[in-house]
Amino acid sequence: MTGHIIIAREAGVQTIRINRADKKNALTRAMYAAMASVLSEADEDDAIRVSVLMGVPGSFTSGNDIADFMNYSMGGEQGMEVYDFLMALARSRKPIVAAVDGIAVGIGTTMQFHCDLTFATPRTVFRTPFVDLGVVPEAGSSLLGPAALGRQGAFALLAMGEGLPAAEARAAGLIHAVVGEDEVEAAALEAATRIAAKPPEAMRIARDLLLGDRDALVERIRHEGKLFRERLQSDEARQAFMAFMSRKK
Ligand code: COA
């Protein structure tokens, strides 16, 4: 297990901490692979009732590592790790809670569409600069976004790349609650503990009913993924990645 993803399991609650503070918790292929495998393991393990995603103070995640995007855009291998992680999220049979503080970019935002309860802090801003990077919405957000935010709210977030502050995300129903920076992890863990204490089979069925058509979601993730990979190799994307990588030189 990479030190960038820290797993703890206690009393039915699995916590998955993204821990790469020096890069604002940008996600590498190894980190996606680690998260995908523990989410899938949780599905098979009766002792785990719920997973909690969290980051470090000030950074939930800055999204996919741009160096990995750049590598693929220059002809390198992309791998299936992101896809495996998205499938593990979309197919999860157990509830997923998130504690989000600060930076929540790209997949750090679109992950929330798959979470059952997200707690975020007042300084959190959800942001998806997909189009600015020459790519397209992913993680099923093109399907779940309009349902959660309305078509225009989804356009502002997912196509315009406008930031959605936590309070507005709460008002729109994208997240569950806004709590202080010092309380966010405790609030998420407390909710997870309550989930873990409930009858698991009834919880699974209730959650399934709320999720709607998972086959359509999986199909949309596949379709977005195909377009996303094509876009990663576009000139628009390559230029955006180069601009990010060289911005401090
Ligand atoms: N991929 C790779 N490296 C990243 C990264 C990412 N997604 N996000 C941040 N980093 C790195 C920076 O390059 C920098 O590395 P360095 O110290 O070696 O130069 C370090 O993390 C700190 O980032 P910095 O930009 O200095 O912090 P900031 O607080 O000024 O800004 C962000 C934070 C998240 C707003 C900014 O880093 C950013 O826009 N990142 C890209 C987000 C993105 O587009 N993700 C993809 C979405 S699809």
Side-chain angles (χ1 to χ4, degrees), residues 22-24 26 62-67 69 103 105-107 129-130 133 228 244 247-248:
D22 60 327
K23 296 290 182 187
K24 307 285 174 183
S62 60
N64 203 102
D65 192 301
I66 304 254
F69 274 166
I103 294 167
V105 182
I107 200 164
F130 295 127
L133 289 172
F228 198 102
F244 179 78
R247 78 204 152 122
K248 281 183 188 161

Side-chain angles (χ1 to χ4, degrees), residues 91-123:
R91 292 200 162 120
S92 172
R93 292 165 54 83
K94 311 253 167 105
I96 302 174
V97 176
V100 180
D101 177 30
I103 294 167
V105 182
I107 200 164
T109 290
T110 57
M111 253 189 249
Q112 309 313 321
F113 291 115
H114 299 272
C115 290
D116 300 285
L117 287 177
T118 295
F119 295 82
T121 61
R123 67 181 173 184

Side-chain angles (χ1 to χ4, degrees), residues 165-196:
E168 288 178 34
R170 165 72 190 89
L174 175 64
I175 65 169
H176 177 61
V178 182
V179 297
E181 281 126 51
D182 297 338
E183 304 154 63
V184 66
E185 290 192 3
L189 289 169
E190 189 272 333
T193 302
R194 280 192 287 128
I195 290 169

